[in-house]
Amino acid sequence: MSAPSTAAAGRLAPSPSGRLHIGHARTFLVAWWRARSRQAKLTLRIEDLDAGRCSQEHIDGVLEDLEWLGLDWDGSWRLQSTGLDQMRAQAMDLAARGLAYACTCTRKEIAAAQSAPHGEEGPRYPGTCRGLYKDLDSARRSSGREPALRVLVPEGELHFVDQLHGTRAVNVQETCGDFPLLTRGGEPSYQLAVVVDDARDGVDEVVRGGDLLDVTARQIVLQRLLGYSTPRYAHVPLIVDAQGTRLAKRSAGLTLAELRARGVRPSQLVGAVARISGLPEAQEGRPHDFCAAFDLERIPAGPWWYDTDASSFRRPPYSPPEAWADVPE
Ligand code: GLU
């Protein structure tokens, strides 16, 4: 493999909050193929900020699963939690520049103040504490509560291009609201952590799961406020279950550990993923075998479902073969 060029960089960013499943395998293989085929540096960052859900056992599991798939990365892998000071410093810098503010609202208060439908990240923040406190300390003193820090999201429309989903136009205030940079416990939020880490690693292209397409606008807002350049994005279509529902972290039977225990070979899985990632003729192989032919633009849109009996992917919702129609329920 040729030496990575210094300018191009991608990353794998798993969260060790459960075992990796077939959907993660698909996303990480595509991210790996993309980085390797464009001679980009590829880092592995383990996103362990959610202390309640992340564990050493899952970190070990993530490494075992990535290695089993045959994926590698450049340099040593890194835990996201080793960079907290830099994230906090960037958040405080935004506060000092008047671009972030202390917020003493509880979740309950925010939910009660908000009539708009709630997204996955909870209700959009209505801006109650905007302009209320001089800084975190005065918010703490006058409210008697531990404050969070929220970014002051500007008005206006933001456009960005996703290489697999086309151009997106987002009204940032309406979509994002003033989202948190630091929690009430002073912990960096996921949005802040990802943006600071991608800039730190010089990532010029983010290839990740399609479930994160909607939070990309928040990350671009932050990149602009922090003076970082915005990477290119490609959000890989999700793997779903037979009914078309997104896989949860602990999807029964579809973690790589479970597939491995049932005798599935990594080469089988890699070949199956290649077939739904623009290489329909792919046979079994190692990730490296598909690098030269891989082309991000040939990835078909839409979700897939993994049929464990056939060890291959199908389009959902799954319709049983004719012969099954007579089987009594
Ligand atoms: N750690 C996140 C996840 O596993 C991915 C974050 C990202 O790729 O930006 O869902």
Side-chain angles (χ1 to χ4, degrees), residues 11-17 20 24 27-28 45-48 80 190 194 198 206-209 211-212 215 219 233 235 246 249:
R11 46 49 159 210
L12 305 174
S15 296
S17 52
L20 298 187
H24 296 114
T27 297
F28 294 141
R45 172 174 90 221
I46 298 194
E47 301 205 321
D48 61 335
Q80 187 161 54
Y190 157 69
V194 165
D198 282 343
V206 170
V207 179
R208 62 184 176 186
D211 51 331
L212 294 167
V215 298
Q219 296 176 13
Y233 286 97
H235 287 87
R246 179 182 147 185
K249 273 268 189 275

